């Protein structure tokens, strides 16, 4: 009754994952046969997620879930702004993964505006337009709310953001599998620069998620220790859960 919070693992997802815990346990960064088998599974999953989102394989970063993806989007864009204080716009109705990240950034020389919603739970495009400043670097507004189910006019909000020269991030955790997610250059969501996904909302395991990062968006990594995920997220890939995510997306 609470699939917005989490979902059970599909049997076919579990069966696809099992060999990568038991027989095919190689490190995807290793050059030997077991490692390359794991690498192939990771890249096949990346291709599946990219097709689902109508984007490039290279624009998909695998993470541990929605919280990490949200944090990577906000901190990755805003943590190393060398010039005058950067400005972030988000809303009062975001998931805490965004709200708490924004509050942390606010303590570290980032100016933050929290837009309120209407009584219907919507973020008005005019309110966003009025909040944008010359130093606005990022706008983060969720696609569908996990508590109310309200769907934001995300394409319009992203277009307003792009027209002002800022980047747009959306937490789409509750939208996956329910709403269209066409991020292609010709698609309705073409102005979205960063988008968060989480596996355990779509019958994949807990502990796997992804962040779409549009080509040419500069992202400072939060984790250091390797060149994984095109130097955007260090750490040995969670191959079994990545494979599980691929099957759920299919």
């Amino acid at each position: 009754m609470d699939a917005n919070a989490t979902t059970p693992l599909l049997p076919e997802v579990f069966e696809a994952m099992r060999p990568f815990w038991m027989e095919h346990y190689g490190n995807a960064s290793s050059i030997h046969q077991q490692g390359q088998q794991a690498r192939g599974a990771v890249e096949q999953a990346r291709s599946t997620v990219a097709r689902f989102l109508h984007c490039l394989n290279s624009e998909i970063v695998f993470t541990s879930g929605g919280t990490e993806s949200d944090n990577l989007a906000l901190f990755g864009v805003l943590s190393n702004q060398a010039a005058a204080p950067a400005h972030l716009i988000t809303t009062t109705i975001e998931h805490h993964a965004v709200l708490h990240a924004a509050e942390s950034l606010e303590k570290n020389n980032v100016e933050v505006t929290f837009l309120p919603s209407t009584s219907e739970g919507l973020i008005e495009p005019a309110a966003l337009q009025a909040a944008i400043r010359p130093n606005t670097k990022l706008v983060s507004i969720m696609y569908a709310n996990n508590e109310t189910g309200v769907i934001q006019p995300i394409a319009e909000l992203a277009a307003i953001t792009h027209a002002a020269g800022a980047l747009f991030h959306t937490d789409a955790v509750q939208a996956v599998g329910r709403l269209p997610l066409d991020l292609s250059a010709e698609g309705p969501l073409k102005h979205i620069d960063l988008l968060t996904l989480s596996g355990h909302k779509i019958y994949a395991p807990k502990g796997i998620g992804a962040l779409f990062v549009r080509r040419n968006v500069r992202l400072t990594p939060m984790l250091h220790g390797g060149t994984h995920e095109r130097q955007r997220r260090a750490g040995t890939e969670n191959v079994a859960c990545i494979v599980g995510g691929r099957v759920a997306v299919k």
Side-chain angles (χ1 to χ4, degrees):
M1 295 295 291
D2 193 15
N4 279 358
T6 196
T7 56
L9 198 65
L10 287 176
E12 55 266 41
V13 169
F14 174 76
E15 289 304 320
M17 293 168 62
R18 191 196 62 79
F20 291 92
W21 278 317
M22 306 298 292
E23 295 94 6
H24 311 309
Y25 53 83
N27 186 324
S29 295
S30 298
I31 61 173
H32 52 62
Q33 184 176 1
Q34 282 274 12
Q36 290 306 293
Q37 188 173 36
R39 171 54 57 195
V42 168
E43 296 312 318
Q44 183 183 17
R46 198 185 311 279
S47 179
T48 298
V49 175
R51 284 198 303 272
F52 177 73
L53 295 176
H54 304 274
C55 68
L56 301 174
N57 292 7
S58 60
E59 294 175 319
I60 300 299
V61 179
F62 288 121
T63 69
S64 64
T67 294
E68 184 187 342
S69 292
D70 283 343
N71 274 254
L72 180 56
L74 270 64
F75 284 97
V77 170
L78 294 168
S79 61
N80 285 321
Q81 294 289 333
H87 179 224
L88 164 68
I89 299 174
T90 186
T91 80
T92 58
I93 57 172
E94 298 298 307
H95 189 279
H96 282 133
V98 169
L99 284 177
H100 289 174
E103 289 166 359
S104 178
L105 285 163
E106 195 171 28
K107 297 173 183 176
N108 288 277
N109 205 37
V110 173
E111 299 172 356
V112 183
T113 297
F114 296 92
L115 297 176
S117 69
T118 66
S119 58
E120 290 79 28
L122 288 167
I123 302 301
E124 294 181 322
L128 172 60
Q129 183 73 68
I132 291 175
R133 307 174 187 170
N135 63 331
T136 302
K137 302 298 182 184
L138 180 67
V139 174
S140 180
I141 300 175
M142 66 181 357
Y143 197 160
N145 190 275
N146 53 300
E147 298 291 342
T148 66
V150 172
I151 300 167
Q152 302 298 337
I154 213 73
E156 185 177 0
L157 296 170
I160 290 169
T161 300
H162 256 222
L167 298 177
F168 189 89
H169 164 252
T170 187
D171 181 332
V173 164
Q174 300 295 346
V176 179
R178 299 170 177 173
L179 298 170
L181 291 174
D182 183 354
L183 297 169
S184 65
E186 299 78 27
L189 304 180
K190 62 185 177 182
H191 296 304
I192 290 177
D193 301 288
L194 304 113
L195 181 143
T196 291
L197 308 170
S198 181
H200 76 99
K201 308 292 187 178
I202 55 170
Y203 303 93
K206 299 172 181 67
I208 186 62
L211 178 67
F212 160 76
V213 183
R214 194 172 293 281
R215 183 175 54 178
N216 298 327
V217 171
R218 295 183 60 187
L219 196 72
T220 300
M222 294 171 55
L223 302 177
H224 303 272
T227 59
H228 312 81
E229 297 300 300
R230 296 177 181 266
Q231 303 186 51
R232 294 172 295 190
R233 199 266 185 183
T236 302
E237 290 90 347
N238 186 352
V239 179
C241 287
I242 288 172
V243 169
R246 175 185 68 82
V247 175
V249 166
K250 286 177 64 179

